[in-house]
Amino acid sequence: MENIIYLKKGAVYFYAAFMDESCKIPNIQTWVYLGSHPEDGHTFKSTCGEEKQFCFPNGITSNVLDHTALSKWLLEAHSPKRAGMEYVYKAI
C-alpha cells in the first residue's frame, strides 16, 4: 500500500531527520508548502528564523511529512541501517 502525502498550497509540513548517525537526536523543521513550479519543482518555506526556501525539482526524496506521517515517524524504532519510509507526493 502506498503512503500518500497530499501537498496543499499554504499547508504545514515537517522535514524530519536525525542529526547523528545513531538516530538519537531528531531534527524536525516546520515548513509551509508554496506549490509546484516547472523550474523549481515542489517548493517549501521555512517557518523559523530567517525564511529559507527548499526546492525539490526532481521530486521529494527525503522525509517531508504531514501531521499523520510525522506522528508515525516519531513512533518508529529508528536505526541508521534502516531506510526511512517512502511516500508518494501529490499536489492538490
Side-chain angles (χ1 to χ4, degrees), residues 14-83:
F14 305 94
Y15 174 76
F18 286 95
M19 298 180 73
D20 62 323
E21 289 184 19
S22 62
C23 298
K24 294 186 189 237
I25 305 171
N27 179 14
I28 301 170
Q29 298 176 22
T30 305
W31 293 354
V32 174
Y33 184 61
L34 300 178
S36 181
H37 309 283
E39 60 277 350
D40 296 327
H42 295 290
T43 305
F44 296 84
K45 173 180 73 168
S46 174
T47 62
C48 59
E50 59 181 82
E51 289 187 6
K52 294 182 181 179
Q53 288 191 357
F54 301 90
C55 302
F56 297 87
N58 300 318
I60 300 171
T61 59
S62 58
N63 283 339
V64 177
L65 310 172
D66 60 11
H67 289 91
T68 301
L70 178 64
S71 295
K72 290 178 185 176
W73 184 85
L74 289 168
L75 294 173
E76 288 178 2
H78 296 285
S79 165
K81 295 178 182 174
R82 196 182 105 144

